[in-house]
């Protein structure tokens, strides 16, 4: 699909969402979950297999290089300055033989090519060097779409008194969305950071952010999130 087609699709989707928003609001949807008192940044699958070209999982490179990575750099700077928790999430598998009698891929390899993300090839699942973890940040390895499903994420967040998760990453239609949905189900306030969420397919980001904002979490801009984080830092310093 050409850039022109993608832009036209986004325009048409926005028109449809504006109409749908009126219906949702009339029925009591699109309420605000709001920012809490202590946030964590949960960055989903911003690893090389997704952020760099040449992989089946590669996402929109224009958005990745022009919006997602720069936005993440701003968020990381703010979180680090405020001493707030940062969790980098990635995905890889130890047994990638699709004919094996037992594999940690479960059944997912029957739908998507997760077998290409082999745990032995660390470069594939390593977090993009432009937003690489620093000492004091945690890298979580997941096996399913949600960063919560079958992982220690919920326990780590609760142990650190986190009530709000700023969710970034890819893809909007799968791992980001599932993380947001499980986040609110587990009692956290999910904030999807608009400019820091991507996908492979035109229109997928716009649709999923609209639907997340209507039902599962708040969609906020990078600047709105930075203002919130800086405000917390100012209160702590007062």
């Amino acid at each position: 699909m050409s850039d022109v087609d993608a832009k036209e699709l986004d325009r048409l989707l926005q028109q449809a969402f504006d109409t749908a928003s009126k219906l949702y609001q009339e029925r009591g949807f699109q309420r605000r979950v709001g920012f809490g008192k202590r946030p964590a940044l949960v960055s989903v699958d911003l690893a090389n297999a997704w952020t760099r070209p040449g992989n089946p999982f590669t996402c929109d490179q224009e958005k990745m290089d022009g919006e997602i990575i720069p936005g993440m750099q701003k968020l990381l700077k703010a979180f680090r300055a405020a001493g707030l928790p940062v969790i980098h999430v990635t995905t890889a598998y130890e047994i990638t033989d699709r004919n094996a009698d037992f594999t940690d891929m479960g059944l997912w390899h029957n739908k998507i090519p997760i077998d290409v993300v082999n745990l032995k090839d660390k470069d594939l699942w390593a977090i993009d060097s432009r937003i690489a973890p620093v000492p004091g940040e945690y890298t979580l390895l997941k096996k399913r779409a949600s960063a919560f499903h079958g992982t220690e994420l919920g326990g780590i967040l609760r142990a650190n008194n986190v009530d709000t998760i700023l969710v970034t990453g890819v893809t909007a239609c799968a791992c980001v969305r599932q993380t947001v949905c499980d986040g609110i189900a587990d009692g956290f306030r999910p904030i999807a950071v608009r400019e820091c969420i991507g996908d492979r397919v035109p229109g997928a980001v716009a649709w999923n952010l609209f639907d997340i904002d209507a039902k599962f979490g708040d969609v906020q801009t990078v600047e709105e999130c930075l203002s919130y984080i800086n405000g917390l830092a100012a209160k702590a310093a007062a």
Side-chain angles (χ1 to χ4, degrees):
M1 183 176 287
S2 70
D3 290 341
V4 174
D5 290 338
K7 291 177 181 178
E8 178 64 9
L9 176 60
D10 282 339
R11 186 186 68 80
L12 293 172
L13 283 172
Q14 192 56 58
Q15 286 184 347
F17 297 157
D18 289 344
T19 301
S21 289
K22 296 177 183 178
L23 173 63
Y24 267 141
Q25 290 166 7
E26 289 170 357
R27 297 186 180 186
F29 289 75
Q30 291 186 339
R31 298 172 182 175
R32 300 295 86 186
V33 66
F35 292 106
K37 296 180 180 179
R38 181 166 166 81
L41 178 60
V42 179
S43 172
V44 182
D45 285 337
L46 289 180
N48 293 321
W50 291 264
T51 64
R52 306 289 188 173
N55 192 280
F57 290 104
T58 297
C59 292
D60 180 343
Q61 290 292 283
E62 182 178 353
K63 182 173 176 64
M64 184 63 64
D65 296 339
E67 290 188 43
I68 296 175
I69 296 297
M72 274 294 300
Q73 289 170 335
K74 292 178 181 178
L75 290 172
L76 286 169
K77 182 178 180 181
F79 266 82
R80 290 165 181 170
L84 294 168
V86 175
I87 297 96
H88 302 266
V89 183
T90 187
T91 310
Y93 299 88
E94 189 168 352
I95 306 171
T96 56
D97 179 2
R98 294 190 61 198
N99 297 314
D101 292 333
F102 170 79
T103 172
D104 54 333
M105 295 188 295
L107 295 175
W108 209 7
H109 64 83
N110 292 311
K111 291 299 296 183
I112 63 175
I114 56 175
D115 46 294
V116 304
V117 190
N118 194 306
L119 193 64
K120 294 178 181 177
D121 190 348
K122 186 174 182 178
D123 184 61
L124 283 179
W125 56 270
I127 302 301
D128 190 299
S129 61
R130 294 170 290 181
I131 53 169
V134 300
E137 296 175 355
Y138 183 60
T139 301
L140 182 150
L141 177 66
K142 67 179 177 66
K143 305 290 183 177
R144 305 294 177 254
S146 170
F148 284 94
H149 185 92
T151 76
E152 63 275 27
L153 180 58
I156 289 174
L157 295 175
R158 290 189 186 92
N160 286 277
N161 299 313
V162 169
D163 63 0
T164 302
I165 52 172
L166 273 61
V167 182
T168 63
V170 292
T171 60
C173 67
C175 298
V176 168
R177 182 189 180 92
Q178 291 298 102
T179 297
V180 167
C181 291
D182 282 354
I184 196 168
D186 277 7
F188 300 100
R189 297 172 181 268
I191 307 295
V193 186
R194 181 179 298 278
E195 299 93 336
C196 294
I197 293 172
D199 210 298
R200 290 175 287 270
V201 181
V205 175
W207 158 247
N208 281 280
L209 290 185
F210 166 75
D211 203 50
I212 285 170
D213 194 63
K215 304 170 186 172
F216 302 107
D218 297 351
V219 177
Q220 302 282 6
T221 67
V222 168
E223 292 304 318
E224 288 167 334
C225 292
L226 291 175
S227 178
Y228 160 62
I229 297 164
N230 293 334
L232 291 175
K235 288 181 182 178

